[in-house]
Amino acid sequence: MIIRNATPEDASLIATAILEAIGPELTAGLGGEEHTPADVHSLFESLAARDDTQYSFLNSRVAVDHSGSPMGVCVSYDGADLIRLRRPFFHEANNRLGWDMGIEEIDSLPGETEPDEFYLDTLMTLPEHRGKGVASALIRDAKEKAVKTGKPLGLL
Protein backbone atom coordinates (compact mmCIF):
# COMPACT_ATOMS: atom_id res chain seq x y z
CA MET A 1 0.00 0.00 0.00
CA ILE A 2 1.15 3.52 -0.83
CA ILE A 3 -0.36 6.68 0.60
CA ARG A 4 -0.21 9.60 -1.79
CA ASN A 5 -1.46 13.16 -2.01
CA ALA A 6 -4.91 13.40 -3.54
CA THR A 7 -5.38 15.19 -6.85
CA PRO A 8 -8.40 16.94 -8.34
CA GLU A 9 -9.09 13.67 -10.18
CA ASP A 10 -9.78 12.08 -6.77
CA ALA A 11 -12.67 14.48 -6.09
CA SER A 12 -15.38 11.85 -6.62
CA LEU A 13 -13.61 9.42 -4.26
CA ILE A 14 -13.25 12.15 -1.63
CA ALA A 15 -16.95 13.02 -1.97
CA THR A 16 -17.87 9.35 -1.59
CA ALA A 17 -15.74 9.16 1.56
CA ILE A 18 -17.43 12.21 3.06
CA LEU A 19 -20.92 10.86 2.38
CA GLU A 20 -19.94 7.46 3.73
CA ALA A 21 -18.68 9.14 6.89
CA ILE A 22 -21.78 11.26 7.47
CA GLY A 23 -24.21 8.49 6.56
CA PRO A 24 -27.38 8.34 4.45
CA GLU A 25 -29.64 10.19 6.90
CA LEU A 26 -27.43 13.27 7.14
CA THR A 27 -26.80 13.13 3.40
CA ALA A 28 -30.56 13.20 2.80
CA GLY A 29 -30.95 15.98 5.36
CA LEU A 30 -28.36 18.12 3.59
CA GLY A 31 -30.30 17.82 0.34
CA GLY A 32 -33.71 18.33 1.88
CA GLU A 33 -36.89 17.46 0.01
CA GLU A 34 -35.74 19.03 -3.24
CA HIS A 35 -32.38 17.34 -3.78
CA THR A 36 -31.13 13.80 -4.19
CA PRO A 37 -28.08 12.16 -2.62
CA ALA A 38 -26.49 12.51 -6.08
CA ASP A 39 -26.93 16.28 -5.78
CA VAL A 40 -25.21 16.23 -2.40
CA HIS A 41 -22.40 14.06 -3.82
CA SER A 42 -21.99 16.56 -6.65
CA LEU A 43 -21.66 19.37 -4.12
CA PHE A 44 -18.92 17.57 -2.20
CA GLU A 45 -17.18 16.51 -5.40
CA SER A 46 -17.00 20.13 -6.51
CA LEU A 47 -15.62 21.13 -3.10
CA ALA A 48 -13.02 18.36 -3.20
CA ALA A 49 -11.79 19.54 -6.60
CA ARG A 50 -11.14 23.05 -5.25
CA ASP A 51 -8.05 24.28 -3.43
CA ASP A 52 -9.80 26.43 -0.82
CA THR A 53 -12.15 24.13 1.11
CA GLN A 54 -11.90 21.84 4.10
CA TYR A 55 -12.71 18.95 1.75
CA SER A 56 -10.11 19.96 -0.84
CA PHE A 57 -7.87 17.43 -2.51
CA LEU A 58 -5.05 19.48 -0.93
CA ASN A 59 -6.26 18.30 2.50
CA SER A 60 -6.69 14.70 1.38
CA ARG A 61 -4.50 11.63 1.14
CA VAL A 62 -5.37 8.46 -0.75
CA ALA A 63 -4.21 4.93 0.04
CA VAL A 64 -3.67 2.90 -3.13
CA ASP A 65 -2.75 -0.70 -3.78
CA HIS A 66 0.23 -1.93 -5.83
CA SER A 67 -1.69 -1.31 -9.07
CA GLY A 68 -2.65 2.25 -8.07
CA SER A 69 -6.28 1.44 -7.33
CA PRO A 70 -7.76 3.39 -4.40
CA MET A 71 -8.18 1.60 -1.10
CA GLY A 72 -9.17 4.50 1.14
CA VAL A 73 -9.05 8.22 1.76
CA CYS A 74 -8.41 10.58 4.65
CA VAL A 75 -9.23 14.29 4.84
CA SER A 76 -7.42 16.28 7.53
CA TYR A 77 -6.44 19.90 8.08
CA ASP A 78 -5.23 22.47 10.58
CA GLY A 79 -8.12 23.32 12.89
CA ALA A 80 -7.07 26.98 12.90
CA ASP A 81 -8.18 27.14 9.25
CA LEU A 82 -11.69 25.76 9.76
CA ILE A 83 -13.72 28.97 9.54
CA ARG A 84 -11.96 30.06 6.33
CA LEU A 85 -12.10 26.58 4.81
CA ARG A 86 -15.79 25.94 5.52
CA ARG A 87 -17.09 29.16 3.96
CA PRO A 88 -17.05 27.66 0.42
CA PHE A 89 -19.12 24.70 1.65
CA PHE A 90 -21.89 26.96 2.89
CA HIS A 91 -21.67 29.22 -0.15
CA GLU A 92 -22.05 26.22 -2.47
CA ALA A 93 -24.79 24.66 -0.31
CA ASN A 94 -26.67 27.97 -0.56
CA ASN A 95 -26.31 27.94 -4.35
CA ARG A 96 -26.77 24.24 -5.11
CA LEU A 97 -29.11 23.04 -2.37
CA GLY A 98 -31.15 26.18 -1.72
CA TRP A 99 -29.78 26.93 1.71
CA ASP A 100 -29.98 30.52 2.92
CA MET A 101 -27.11 31.28 5.28
CA GLY A 102 -25.27 34.57 5.47
CA ILE A 103 -21.54 34.90 6.18
CA GLU A 104 -22.15 36.18 9.74
CA GLU A 105 -24.29 33.16 10.54
CA ILE A 106 -21.75 30.81 8.93
CA ASP A 107 -18.83 32.29 10.84
CA SER A 108 -20.73 32.16 14.14
CA LEU A 109 -21.41 28.41 13.92
CA PRO A 110 -19.48 26.32 16.42
CA GLY A 111 -16.58 24.41 14.92
CA GLU A 112 -16.08 20.69 15.00
CA THR A 113 -12.39 21.27 15.66
CA GLU A 114 -10.25 23.63 17.70
CA PRO A 115 -7.54 26.00 16.44
CA ASP A 116 -4.91 24.20 18.53
CA GLU A 117 -5.38 20.79 16.86
CA PHE A 118 -4.87 19.15 13.50
CA TYR A 119 -8.27 17.71 12.64
CA LEU A 120 -8.99 14.32 11.09
CA ASP A 121 -12.23 15.16 9.30
CA THR A 122 -13.00 12.13 7.15
CA LEU A 123 -11.66 8.59 7.03
CA MET A 124 -12.95 5.86 4.75
CA THR A 125 -11.73 2.49 3.58
CA LEU A 126 -13.42 1.12 0.47
CA PRO A 127 -15.50 -1.94 1.43
CA GLU A 128 -13.38 -4.43 -0.50
CA HIS A 129 -10.25 -3.30 1.39
CA ARG A 130 -11.60 -3.26 4.93
CA GLY A 131 -9.71 -5.31 7.49
CA LYS A 132 -6.37 -4.80 5.71
CA GLY A 133 -4.99 -1.96 7.87
CA VAL A 134 -5.86 0.81 5.42
CA ALA A 135 -7.58 3.05 7.98
CA SER A 136 -4.75 2.50 10.48
CA ALA A 137 -2.19 3.50 7.86
CA LEU A 138 -4.20 6.61 6.95
CA ILE A 139 -4.51 7.60 10.62
CA ARG A 140 -0.73 7.21 11.08
CA ASP A 141 -0.23 9.34 7.98
CA ALA A 142 -2.55 12.05 9.37
CA LYS A 143 -0.67 11.94 12.65
CA GLU A 144 2.59 12.55 10.78
CA LYS A 145 0.99 15.61 9.15
CA ALA A 146 -0.15 16.79 12.59
CA VAL A 147 3.34 16.39 14.04
CA LYS A 148 4.71 18.62 11.27
CA THR A 149 2.30 21.37 12.38
CA GLY A 150 3.25 20.93 16.02
CA LYS A 151 -0.35 20.18 16.94
CA PRO A 152 -2.04 17.03 18.25
CA LEU A 153 -4.27 15.06 15.93
CA GLY A 154 -7.92 15.58 16.87
CA LEU A 155 -11.04 13.65 16.00
CA LEU A 156 -14.66 14.51 16.77
Side-chain angles (χ1 to χ4, degrees), residues 106-124:
I106 293 165
D107 287 352
S108 70
L109 291 171
E112 58 201 41
T113 183
E114 299 295 327
D116 60 348
E117 69 181 0
F118 193 84
Y119 184 59
L120 195 158
D121 185 288
T122 301
L123 178 67
M124 183 210 49

Side-chain angles (χ1 to χ4, degrees), residues 78-156:
D78 190 326
D81 296 331
L82 175 64
I83 290 175
R84 176 183 59 82
L85 291 173
R86 73 179 177 185
R87 286 179 186 147
F89 165 76
F90 287 101
H91 176 75
E92 289 300 316
N94 284 344
N95 290 338
R96 291 169 173 253
L97 303 178
W99 293 15
D100 185 23
M101 294 182 72
I103 191 73
E104 297 83 18
E105 182 181 5
I106 293 165
D107 287 352
S108 70
L109 291 171
E112 58 201 41
T113 183
E114 299 295 327
D116 60 348
E117 69 181 0
F118 193 84
Y119 184 59
L120 195 158
D121 185 288
T122 301
L123 178 67
M124 183 210 49
T125 302
L126 292 167
E128 63 272 23
H129 295 290
R130 292 182 181 154
K132 299 177 183 177
V134 175
S136 295
L138 286 165
I139 292 170
R140 283 191 301 274
D141 183 72
K143 184 170 178 166
E144 288 174 21
K145 287 173 55 178
V147 166
K148 290 178 183 174
T149 69
K151 296 181 178 185
L153 184 62
L155 177 64
L156 182 63

